[in-house]
Amino acid sequence: MPPVSERVADLRGRLAEQRGSVVLGLVPTMGALHAGHGRLIEYAKRDCGFVVVTIFVNPLQFDRPEELDRYPRTLAEDLRFCDRAGVDLVFAPTPDEMYPTAPACRVHVQKLADHLCGRYRPGHFDGVATVVTKLFNIVEADRAYFGEKDAQQLAIIRRLSRDLNISTTIVGVPTVREPDGLALSSRNQHLSAAERTLAVALYQALCEAHGQLMAGVRDVGLIKEAAGSRIPGVPELRLEYLEIVDSEEMQPVDEVKGPVCVAGALWVGTTRLIDNIEWNP
Ligand code: PAF
């Protein structure tokens, strides 16, 4: 098993022994590790001589308390996963270690959080930006790895790192999918068998949008209509949003003129799934 640090000081002590002699990679996670995280670790191992995985269910980024309560916590399994993946060190702090006092500072990235998930999850991205900034400062890695599945999160992290002169290089890692196209997510484990079958509708809607773009359609209204028609009208499914935004600032566009991100959130029963595809003319 990889060594586990629960304390910032302990982690820093262990990292001091490595610093300078190897490229240090950081893979921030909230645990419940699956093949999508495995891909982040794989990318990190490819580039870095020493890989730290952080496992912390960050209370600051949950806008609904019931979601924080039901977020899967599987530390023993996660450690075995890290062992198999060849992780060098795990940082698994408690909430008290990360937030010994209620934080008076939050990192807020303007504009990029206004649409998509940010519109429906007030405070979520401030919580993400704050904990990620803390992890950057705690680990001081050379490179940090984030999934492209969370496209808005990745755009926000890239922007905060640029604006705040974070010296860690941000690396985006392609989404891992099930054979039918469903993006891997820790939340998939909440789906019943029937819900799991329906859940692929989000990916199918994104593929429809992609098909429309490939066919030369540029009117966002038309693309969204075609994509939305791929979501079956059954009570288990509720499309929260399907938007087309510019890939850099995550702002909705009316007409596609440059690189865009087609992103959606779909409720499947009581589980909220997100996914996106990039399109670059
Ligand atoms: O993507 C996640 O798992 C989380 O939002 C992150 C980046 C680990 C911050 O808590």
Side-chain angles (χ1 to χ4, degrees), residues 31 106 145 150 185 192 202 275:
R106 301 274 162 127
Y145 295 79
D150 301 306
S185 162
S192 69
L202 178 56
D275 199 355

Side-chain angles (χ1 to χ4, degrees), residues 28-30 58 61 128 131-132 146 150 153:
T29 81
M30 298 207 296
N58 172 35
Q61 71 187 74
V128 171
V131 82
V132 167
F146 297 90
D150 301 306
Q153 167 173 288

Side-chain angles (χ1 to χ4, degrees), residues 234-246:
V234 293
E236 293 89 340
L237 297 183
R238 185 171 65 80
L239 186 63
E240 187 173 82
Y241 69 78
L242 193 139
E243 294 288 347
I244 302 186
V245 297
D246 73 274

Side-chain angles (χ1 to χ4, degrees), residues 163-212:
D163 282 7
L164 300 180
N165 298 86
I166 302 282
S167 60
T168 306
T169 301
I170 311 301
V171 185
V173 176
T175 304
V176 181
R177 299 184 180 280
E178 298 279 7
D180 67 353
L182 178 71
L184 294 199
S185 162
S186 307
R187 293 191 167 85
N188 294 355
Q189 57 184 270
H190 297 311
L191 300 171
S192 69
E195 289 171 347
R196 167 64 190 83
T197 312
L198 289 168
V200 72
L202 178 56
Y203 179 63
Q204 287 170 346
L206 298 175
C207 289
E208 176 65 42
H210 188 258
Q212 296 285 326

